[in-house]
Amino acid sequence: MIDNDSNLSAILGATNTGKTHIAFEKMLSYSSGVFGFPLRLLARENYDKACKTIGLNNVALITGEEKIFPKEAKYFFCTVESMPTEINVECVVIDEVQLAADYERGHIFTDRILNLRGTQETIFLGSSIIESILKKLFPNINILRKERLSELLFNQKQNLSKLKPRSAIIAFNINNVYEIAERIRTHKGGAAVVLGSLSPRTRNAQVEIYENKNVDYLVATDAIGMGLNLKIDHVCFTSLEKFDGRYNRNLSTNEIGQIAGRAGRYKNNGTFGYTKEAGLLDPIIIKSIENHNYDQLQKIYWRNSNLIFDTVESLLVSLKQIPLKNFLIQKKNAIDEINFKTLAEDDKIRSFLSDSFHIKLLWDICRIPDFEKIFNDNYITFLKTIFLTLLNNNYKIPEDWLNNKIARLENFNGGIPELSIKISQIRTWTYISNQNDWLINPLYWQDKTQRIENQLSDNLHIGLTNKFVDSSSKFFTYDSFHKNIEKIDINRNNEIVLDEEKYGVIKGFDIQLSKNLFSHSLFSLSHVKKSLRNMIEEKIKNFLNSPDDSLNLGDISKIKFNASAFVFWGDEPIGKLIKGSKVYLPQAEALNSEFLSSENKLLVSLKIQKWIDNLISNNLKPIKDKLDENLNSHVRAIAFNCFENLGMYPIENFTEFLKNIDKDNKLSLSQLGIRVGAKYFFMPNLLKKKPIELCALLWRIYNQTNINNYLPLPSDGRVSFQSTLKLPETYWQSIGYILLNDFAFRVDVFEKIFYLARKKIKSGPFLESSEFMNPIGCNSDQLKDILEYCGYKSTNLPNDRKLYFFKTKHKKKYNKKNIKKDINIVKKQKKTNIANKADPNSPFAVLEKLL
């Protein structure tokens, strides 16, 4: 311990007092210096700052994982653990000296406080809570107390959803950090994430998106309390306890103050608070934090740094040395000491520990940080492997062996957990590559491991940003909203364009977001909606005043049975049709949209309903007309059934009535647009393209089915078409078609064919011909199905043509054998010129003419 404290000074105070800035400037005023920081991140940050100030060649960076050491270097920026202890510089600065009370690292800070000195000045920076300890150690130390540049005030409990922009949210568990960040993304647009386990590069990149105001929120662990100088207005704690590596404990007042103090930078005041889930904070503690009045530290950790490596026992004894001051706590069971004790007892290692060189080598290996935090036998096994590898290879790690270990980490793909693990693993190899004595080509491995860490860090940053930041939220953050809101534009295709990128498209009275370009949050969506609401309100007004012919049902042939039947305004869906009380009375509904008020939704629905009612009335007339009460009851029944079935109905239930129908009733049916066919009543007015498609849609709406096929419909005005769909007969009747063996044909053309067949049969059996097939567009087999449906039979002639005949109970039964026999008879009669006085309607007479 050095007792001469004449050149010692301390700058103590709360956060935001400018302590680090003062010490930085003061060190550079000397010809040389060493500055020790609690985090690699802070060492790197101040190293970069010094390079810009005094030049790259004058500055060195020394951390466990990174060493930049120009020969001309005069100023050294280091982590406290890596501060060179045998170097003569004029000024030494140690930051956050109150960490001497930290259970894990305190003994290292204490060692630097006691044993590291500048030839001209040594400066301690930290919280005022260590003042009494410093005075006990160094009675003549010069202490400069710095007041905070801004006020820190308490705010009452808040929900996360109520937090104002530029807030930092504190959690003490990585899962909680990610959960909160996801909630903030959803409701606030996004958050940057800061964890102690992140690499400095990832952490800096995350901080940058916050500082650049791409997001207004930061979710962090207590890592934020160490030297991250951010423009934070409010700090919110989601918990007031943490796990410190041994057990869950309440945060100390000083710890809360250290973290809360990050709110308010320079002369801007800050606030702090906590959520209702965090518990309660005593008003006395709150007052202490506001006044920066904390209890003084009573003890700090210490461990003897004058270690003796003669034997294993001498090293362990030196580690157990007891401090001379009662306010110094002997550090027991540090990780490096536990590692050494465990490996020193290993059978494969014990025999090598017979000299100070090997003991010192094992000690250095046991101090390799456990970046993965695995704390188990795997870590011990890893340290053992490193030691034995060095011993078996002339104290150098083989290049091939090292390359095999590192190569698997050059895969930069993976999610956040996988990338985080890879980063912790490469940091271990980065640390090892900086132990120059262990490697043949240390500079090569330092460069390679650093490049891998940088690439993994960049990918992790991208992963965190993609998961927890809605990329479009940057346009709506607190400070940028008013200057960016005018960048929202609607192009000719109704696409919402935000900063020249497609955000989504307006469909009817709603927004359909683009899934390819953005991970939308409720935050961004709500702001887009605010800017679009007035425009959509105007659009609704225009729709309500638009002419009826601007509405349509779209391409009905492209509608599936299991899909909704939409109503379009131009090309945009604004409503749909659902089942009503009758097949020709569908109900209209406006599509749901949060932009439609209840009143407007009713008005839109009423307009659509009026339009569809008129469309049906005009195209399917007179289906919706009221029937004359004076009509014959049978005529009324026929009309009712035709209308209920969209124009086509079997006559079989009215055969008796039709046998004796009088002229007046025929006229009544005709005036209703109903024709009486051989098998069906039908309405010719409904057998045109538009009515057919409308009837098909009405049937689909009324008869709901899960068939995943388009409505089978004739194309280009065809009177027949093929369809393999298995549908109820009522569907085909609804469009005025008959389906036989997958061949659909229109009922009015069928009646013409049936009429022609009845006319032909009067002269006896008749041959198939184009006269039958051309009107209906069928082939020979399809004609056979149609005529058999009409009650005719057929037989194949030797020339492959079919002969049709009508079978009755009073006529001779004909089969193929009889037909052939009759053909031969006719031929014989023709040769002998015997006159045949047979019935002219008999097959013989017909065959005679044909042959």
Side-chain angles (χ1 to χ4, degrees):
M1 184 184 299
I2 298 174
D3 294 322
N4 183 9
D5 55 8
S6 60
N7 68 347
L8 298 180
S9 63
I11 306 175
L12 305 179
T15 55
N16 192 28
T17 57
K19 301 186 297 292
T20 305
H21 175 74
I22 293 171
F24 181 89
E25 295 295 329
K26 197 162 189 179
M27 185 184 77
L28 293 186
S29 70
Y30 290 101
S31 62
S32 60
V34 174
F35 206 135
F37 294 91
L39 299 173
R40 175 188 173 196
L41 173 72
L42 296 176
R44 181 78 204 207
E45 181 183 306
N46 283 274
Y47 164 79
D48 292 338
K49 180 180 175 182
C51 287
K52 294 177 182 178
T53 305
I54 58 175
L56 198 65
N57 292 331
N58 294 315
V59 187
L61 174 66
I62 307 175
T63 70
E65 303 148 73
E66 198 171 6
K67 289 181 173 60
I68 303 174
F69 206 146
K71 292 180 180 179
E72 302 87 356
K74 298 178 182 178
Y75 302 94
F76 302 84
F77 293 85
C78 321
T79 52
V80 170
E81 285 85 349
S82 300
M83 293 176 78
T85 56
E86 297 180 2
I87 187 171
N88 289 322
V89 292
E90 290 188 0
C91 181
V92 169
V93 182
I94 305 171
D95 193 20
E96 304 291 0
V97 289
Q98 77 277 0
L99 288 178
D102 181 74
Y103 177 77
E104 294 292 338
R105 304 171 67 199
H107 62 284
I108 300 170
F109 279 82
T110 300
D111 177 70
R112 303 299 183 261
I113 292 169
L114 295 175
N115 299 315
L116 197 56
R117 293 290 180 270
T119 58
Q120 298 296 318
E121 186 175 10
T122 300
I123 305 171
F124 304 135
L125 306 179
S127 169
S128 58
I129 63 174
I130 200 170
E131 181 175 341
S132 63
I133 293 287
L134 291 178
K135 285 182 176 179
K136 288 178 183 179
L137 289 171
F138 315 113
N140 297 319
I141 187 172
N142 177 36
I143 294 179
L144 174 63
R145 300 174 185 85
K146 294 291 294 180
E147 295 295 327
R148 185 177 162 90
L149 297 174
S150 63
E151 289 186 344
L152 180 64
L153 302 173
F154 175 73
N155 262 1
Q156 61 182 359
K157 292 181 184 179
Q158 289 180 302
N159 293 325
L160 292 179
S161 59
K162 300 284 182 65
L163 285 180
K164 62 183 180 180
R166 313 312 294 167
S167 291
I169 303 159
I170 310 301
F172 296 96
N173 175 289
I174 188 170
N175 292 329
N176 290 342
V177 169
Y178 288 159
E179 180 185 344
I180 293 167
E182 179 62 30
R183 288 168 60 190
I184 296 299
R185 189 201 75 85
T186 301
H187 298 287
K188 301 289 188 179
V193 174
V194 173
L195 304 166
S197 60
L198 295 181
S199 66
R201 189 180 180 94
T202 304
R203 204 177 331 179
N204 283 342
Q206 285 291 296
V207 165
E208 186 176 354
I209 65 172
Y210 175 81
E211 288 290 87
N212 290 343
K213 297 185 178 179
N214 289 337
V215 294
D216 270 330
Y217 298 87
L218 182 73
V219 185
T221 61
D222 52 347
I224 196 177
M226 288 294 169
L228 284 177
N229 298 317
L230 306 174
K231 295 177 182 178
I232 297 171
D233 293 337
H234 180 72
V235 170
C236 178
F237 292 84
T238 61
S239 176
L240 297 173
E241 64 176 31
K242 64 175 285 188
F243 180 74
D244 64 0
R246 293 176 294 170
Y247 48 80
N248 279 323
R249 62 170 178 80
N250 291 329
L251 297 172
S252 69
T253 304
N254 176 63
E255 286 174 320
I256 297 173
Q258 181 78 14
I259 299 168
R262 294 299 155 189
R265 302 310 302 164
Y266 192 49
K267 294 185 178 181
N268 296 318
N269 295 335
T271 57
F272 72 98
Y274 52 91
T275 62
K276 60 182 180 180
E277 296 85 4
L280 292 172
L281 201 57
D282 192 295
I284 296 176
I285 294 177
I286 293 172
K287 205 66 179 175
S288 297
I289 295 170
E290 288 181 328
N291 296 330
H292 318 297
N293 182 23
Y294 308 113
D295 294 337
Q296 290 289 303
L297 292 176
Q298 300 301 312
K299 295 179 183 292
I300 58 176
Y301 286 94
W302 175 90
R303 186 174 74 178
N304 178 32
S305 58
N306 185 22
L307 302 180
I308 301 171
F309 295 98
D310 294 343
T311 64
V312 171
E313 290 73 20
S314 66
L315 175 58
L316 295 177
V317 169
S318 62
L319 286 169
K320 292 178 181 178
Q321 185 173 328
I322 298 173
L324 298 178
K325 303 288 187 180
N326 61 4
F327 54 83
L328 299 178
I329 306 171
Q330 181 190 6
K331 174 59 180 175
K332 298 177 181 179
N333 298 321
I335 295 298
D336 50 6
E337 184 179 348
I338 292 173
N339 293 339
F340 183 83
K341 287 179 180 178
T342 303
L343 290 176
E345 295 174 358
D346 188 279
D347 293 338
K348 293 184 178 181
I349 292 179
R350 187 188 305 116
S351 60
F352 293 103
L353 303 180
S354 57
D355 59 77
S356 59
F357 174 81
H358 290 96
I359 295 171
K360 178 67 165 59
L361 178 61
L362 181 60
W363 174 252
D364 289 339
I365 289 171
C366 289
R367 300 184 73 189
I368 296 174
D370 179 16
F371 291 108
E372 291 187 69
K373 305 297 181 187
I374 50 181
F375 297 119
N376 58 25
D377 293 342
N378 290 337
Y379 181 52
I380 294 295
T381 300
F382 171 76
L383 299 178
K384 176 181 175 179
T385 301
I386 296 294
F387 181 76
L388 293 176
T389 300
L390 285 168
L391 261 60
N392 294 328
N393 293 278
N394 199 25
Y395 303 105
K396 299 291 183 181
I397 296 176
E399 301 274 301
D400 290 344
W401 185 88
L402 185 58
N403 187 61
N404 288 335
K405 298 294 183 182
I406 292 175
R408 60 190 177 86
L409 299 176
E410 290 188 272
N411 179 356
F412 305 121
N413 298 322
I416 292 172
E418 185 179 350
L419 289 171
S420 298
I421 291 172
K422 287 180 180 179
I423 288 173
S424 65
Q425 291 171 341
I426 196 63
R427 288 180 73 183
T428 300
W429 296 112
T430 303
Y431 181 93
I432 290 173
S433 70
N434 277 278
Q435 312 309 307
N436 292 350
D437 294 340
W438 298 355
L439 301 173
I440 298 171
N441 189 1
L443 293 179
Y444 168 79
W445 293 108
Q446 288 166 20
D447 178 67
K448 181 167 186 174
T449 54
Q450 190 62 61
R451 280 189 289 107
I452 293 173
E453 181 183 328
N454 289 345
Q455 184 65 56
L456 288 170
S457 298
D458 290 343
N459 284 14
L460 178 58
H461 166 65
I462 292 170
L464 290 169
T465 303
N466 288 342
K467 184 171 181 61
F468 299 123
V469 178
D470 174 354
S471 55
S472 60
S473 66
K474 63 184 178 181
F475 299 105
F476 309 115
T477 53
Y478 184 73
D479 290 333
S480 60
F481 175 75
H482 295 292
K483 66 181 181 181
N484 283 307
I485 196 67
E486 68 274 5
K487 294 184 180 180
I488 299 176
D489 189 26
I490 311 298
N491 64 20
R492 293 180 179 178
N493 297 322
N494 276 344
E495 293 172 337
I496 305 164
V497 181
L498 182 59
D499 195 38
E500 300 182 355
E501 298 234 46
K502 180 181 172 183
Y503 186 91
V505 62
I506 297 176
K507 293 283 190 180
F509 307 129
D510 209 352
I511 299 173
Q512 181 179 319
L513 301 177
S514 171
K515 297 180 180 179
N516 297 327
L517 296 178
F518 296 95
S519 55
H520 299 290
S521 65
L522 295 177
F523 172 79
S524 289
L525 184 57
S526 65
H527 281 87
V528 169
K529 288 174 181 176
K530 286 178 184 177
S531 62
L532 298 177
R533 190 171 296 278
N534 290 337
M535 186 276 292
I536 293 181
E537 285 283 345
E538 186 66 25
K539 188 176 183 181
I540 294 169
K541 187 184 297 182
N542 291 339
F543 166 74
L544 295 174
N545 294 322
S546 65
D548 284 351
D549 59 10
S550 63
L551 293 172
N552 66 88
L553 293 168
D555 187 350
I556 295 177
S557 66
K558 299 300 182 183
I559 297 175
K560 290 187 175 183
F561 282 99
N562 59 355
S564 295
F566 292 111
V567 176
F568 297 85
W569 184 36
D571 295 328
E572 299 179 71
I574 46 87
K576 64 180 180 179
L577 301 177
I578 60 174
K579 182 176 181 179
S581 59
K582 293 181 180 293
V583 67
Y584 52 82
L585 295 177
Q587 295 297 301
E589 277 188 1
L591 293 181
N592 288 328
S593 169
E594 61 184 284
F595 298 100
L596 271 177
S597 64
S598 299
E599 180 183 358
N600 280 339
K601 185 174 183 180
L602 179 60
L603 292 174
V604 170
S605 298
L606 288 174
K607 181 177 177 68
I608 299 172
Q609 187 69 61
K610 180 181 177 183
W611 171 78
I612 191 63
D613 288 344
N614 289 337
L615 185 73
I616 294 171
S617 293
N618 294 333
N619 286 275
L620 305 184
K621 191 172 182 63
I623 274 183
K624 293 183 67 177
D625 292 351
K626 188 176 181 181
L627 293 174
D628 188 343
E629 294 181 358
N630 297 321
L631 285 174
N632 176 279
S633 61
H634 287 93
V635 172
R636 288 177 61 84
I638 292 170
F640 175 82
N641 282 287
C642 284
F643 294 172
E644 291 291 315
N645 290 276
L646 298 175
M648 180 174 166
Y649 191 72
I651 66 171
E652 57 190 16
N653 295 328
F654 295 93
T655 52
E656 291 301 321
F657 169 71
L658 293 175
K659 284 180 182 179
N660 303 306
I661 189 170
D662 58 30
K663 188 180 296 185
D664 291 338
N665 287 330
K666 279 186 178 180
L667 180 62
S668 296
L669 286 173
S670 178
Q671 288 174 340
L672 289 169
I674 299 172
R675 299 293 178 266
V676 182
K679 286 186 175 292
Y680 292 97
F681 299 108
F682 64 95
M683 300 176 68
N685 190 47
L686 272 58
L687 299 179
K688 300 172 184 176
K689 182 178 186 298
K690 192 169 183 178
I692 287 174
E693 290 182 345
L694 180 57
C695 286
L697 183 63
L698 292 175
W699 187 93
R700 173 255 168 275
I701 294 168
Y702 194 76
N703 299 277
Q704 298 176 358
T705 175
N706 290 323
I707 299 174
N708 187 29
N709 288 93
Y710 296 109
L711 301 177
L713 289 166
S715 59
D716 304 324
R718 294 186 179 183
V719 298
S720 65
F721 61 97
Q722 295 278 354
S723 177
T724 58
L725 278 182
K726 304 304 178 185
L727 293 171
E729 186 179 358
T730 55
Y731 171 78
W732 301 106
Q733 292 177 10
S734 73
I735 64 171
Y737 277 67
I738 301 167
L739 183 75
L740 294 178
N741 291 335
D742 300 336
F743 182 66
F745 45 90
R746 210 169 69 194
V747 63
D748 59 333
V749 183
F750 162 75
E751 291 294 344
K752 290 180 181 178
I753 300 301
F754 201 175
Y755 171 77
L756 182 60
R758 293 199 306 272
K759 186 177 178 182
K760 290 276 187 183
I761 201 66
K762 290 179 180 178
S763 299
F766 57 89
L767 286 173
E768 67 180 15
S769 67
S770 59
E771 188 179 7
F772 286 96
M773 290 185 277
N774 286 349
I776 205 164
C778 67
N779 58 32
S780 176
D781 290 336
Q782 290 166 342
L783 179 62
K784 177 184 175 183
D785 291 334
I786 295 171
L787 291 178
E788 285 187 354
Y789 181 66
C790 296
Y792 294 92
K793 293 291 183 179
S794 67
T795 187
N796 290 329
L797 299 180
N799 58 3
D800 291 331
R801 295 177 70 185
K802 293 181 177 65
L803 179 71
Y804 290 94
F805 53 93
F806 190 71
K807 178 187 69 173
T808 68
K809 294 180 180 179
H810 306 292
K811 292 190 179 286
K812 180 179 177 181
K813 183 177 182 181
Y814 283 92
N815 53 36
K816 290 182 179 180
K817 186 174 181 181
N818 291 334
I819 291 292
K820 288 181 180 179
K821 183 177 179 182
D822 289 341
I823 291 172
N824 292 329
I825 293 172
V826 170
K827 286 181 178 179
K828 187 175 181 181
Q829 288 175 334
K830 187 174 183 181
K831 285 179 181 180
T832 58
N833 295 317
I834 298 174
N836 181 14
K837 298 180 181 180
D839 183 354
N841 292 326
S842 71
F844 298 105
V846 175
L847 287 171
E848 182 179 7
K849 295 175 184 177
L850 293 172
L851 298 172

